[in-house]
């Protein structure tokens, strides 16, 4: 599922072109880590945001991101985006929503594209954050679309499967998973997702042969 969501959202909605500037939020998650690698395979410049220094190092050293920042270390999100995107953002793959999406809208380039895959910052809020900068969709002619992987599964899945298997076998793609042992550890693993503790898809291993 993460691979399908990453591939379809990036290729169908973002419609990337070589040399474009790509930003991926929650870039160490099951979907985000793949979007960044897909973008690099397309010849794009890719920046990701994550929640720990460990994730920064992994994305830069193992997954090939051009740059990564820990958003928890940044006192000003606006200043951070200006520093990492001095020429603006062409494509934004959103896994976070909320304040991050609202600020990114101000840094998008003309005719930018935004794929909205998730809004993890909003899932447990009784009153979701508002988005105040939607007027930029008009002034910058931005296309923003939400989706789920089922939207494109029947159309593109065979092609995706062949493409992904080949690139994994050639070590052009790396997929990281966070595995905890034992059902008794499942609750803490679930809670950890909302605190950014996992790298890649969070899995629970019930037993090993």
């Amino acid at each position: 599922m993460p691979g399908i969501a990453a591939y379809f959202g990036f290729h169908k909605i973002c419609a990337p072109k070589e040399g474009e500037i790509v930003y991926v939020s929650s870039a160490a998650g099951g979907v985000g880590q793949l979007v960044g690698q897909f973008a690099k395979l397309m010849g794009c410049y890719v920046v990701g945001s994550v929640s720990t220094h460990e994730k920064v190092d992994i994305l830069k050293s193992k997954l090939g991101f051009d740059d990564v920042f820990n958003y928890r270390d940044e006192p000003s999100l606006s200043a951070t985006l200006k520093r990492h995107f001095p020429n603006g953002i062409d494509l934004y793959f959103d896994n976070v929503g909320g304040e991050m999406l609202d600020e990114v809208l101000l840094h998008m380039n003309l005719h930018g594209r935004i794929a909205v895959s998730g809004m993890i910052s909003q899932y447990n809020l009784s009153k979701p954050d508002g988005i105040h900068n939607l007027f930029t969709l008009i002034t910058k002619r931005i296309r923003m679309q939400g989706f789920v992987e089922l939207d494109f599964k029947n159309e593109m899945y065979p092609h995706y499967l062949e493409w992904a298997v080949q690139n994994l076998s050639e070590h052009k793609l790396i997929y990281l998973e966070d595995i905890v042992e034992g059902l008794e550890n499942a609750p803490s693993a679930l809670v950890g997702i909302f605190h950014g503790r996992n790298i890649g898809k969070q899995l629970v291993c019930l037993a090993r042969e």
Side-chain angles (χ1 to χ4, degrees):
M1 184 277 288
I4 296 170
Y7 188 83
F8 297 162
F10 184 64
H11 287 281
K12 292 288 286 188
I13 296 175
C14 290
K17 301 180 182 69
E18 184 177 358
E20 287 191 309
I21 299 170
V22 178
Y23 174 41
V24 185
S25 58
S26 189
V31 174
Q33 62 169 298
L34 290 173
V35 173
Q37 293 180 76
F38 296 166
K40 290 304 299 177
L41 289 172
M42 286 289 299
C44 298
Y45 180 85
V46 186
V47 177
S49 59
V50 295
S51 58
T52 69
H53 295 296
E54 178 190 10
K55 293 177 181 180
V56 170
D57 292 339
I58 289 174
L59 265 61
K60 292 176 73 173
S61 64
K62 291 187 177 181
L63 303 186
F65 281 63
D66 293 292
D67 207 353
V68 187
F69 65 90
N70 181 351
Y71 70 89
R72 290 178 174 171
D73 284 348
E74 303 293 342
S76 167
L77 183 55
S78 177
T80 300
L81 293 176
K82 287 179 182 177
R83 184 172 75 250
H84 287 278
F85 302 101
N87 298 314
I89 301 168
D90 296 310
L91 311 176
Y92 174 44
F93 199 99
D94 184 24
N95 295 299
V96 172
E99 179 187 3
M100 180 68 77
L101 172 60
D102 203 30
E103 186 63 40
V104 166
L105 285 168
L106 299 177
H107 298 265
M108 294 295 295
N109 287 331
L110 196 67
H111 300 295
R113 286 88 73 200
I114 300 175
V116 183
S117 176
M119 292 194 171
I120 196 169
S121 71
Q122 306 300 295
Y123 293 160
N124 291 328
L125 301 182
S126 58
K127 184 179 180 181
D129 296 330
I131 303 297
H132 306 283
N133 297 318
L134 288 175
F135 191 59
T136 57
L137 297 179
I138 299 172
T139 59
K140 297 184 178 184
R141 286 72 123 189
I142 297 168
R143 184 172 76 242
M144 182 167 71
Q145 181 179 338
F147 73 99
V148 297
E149 71 278 2
L150 294 176
D151 294 340
F152 308 108
K153 188 171 183 178
N154 293 335
E155 175 187 355
M156 295 181 65
Y157 183 71
H159 169 75
Y160 164 73
L161 186 61
E162 180 181 355
W163 181 88
V165 169
Q166 179 178 344
N167 280 277
L168 284 166
S169 65
E170 295 175 358
H171 304 290
K172 294 179 181 178
L173 284 178
I174 298 173
Y175 190 66
L176 304 177
E177 294 175 328
D178 200 317
I179 302 174
V180 299
E181 301 280 348
L183 184 60
E184 68 277 8
N185 293 314
S188 61
L190 177 62
V191 171
I193 292 174
F194 296 98
H195 294 276
R197 296 172 189 159
N198 60 300
I199 298 177
K201 194 71 173 175
Q202 181 67 70
L203 303 176
V204 177
C205 179
L206 302 183
R208 292 187 184 274
E209 294 183 354

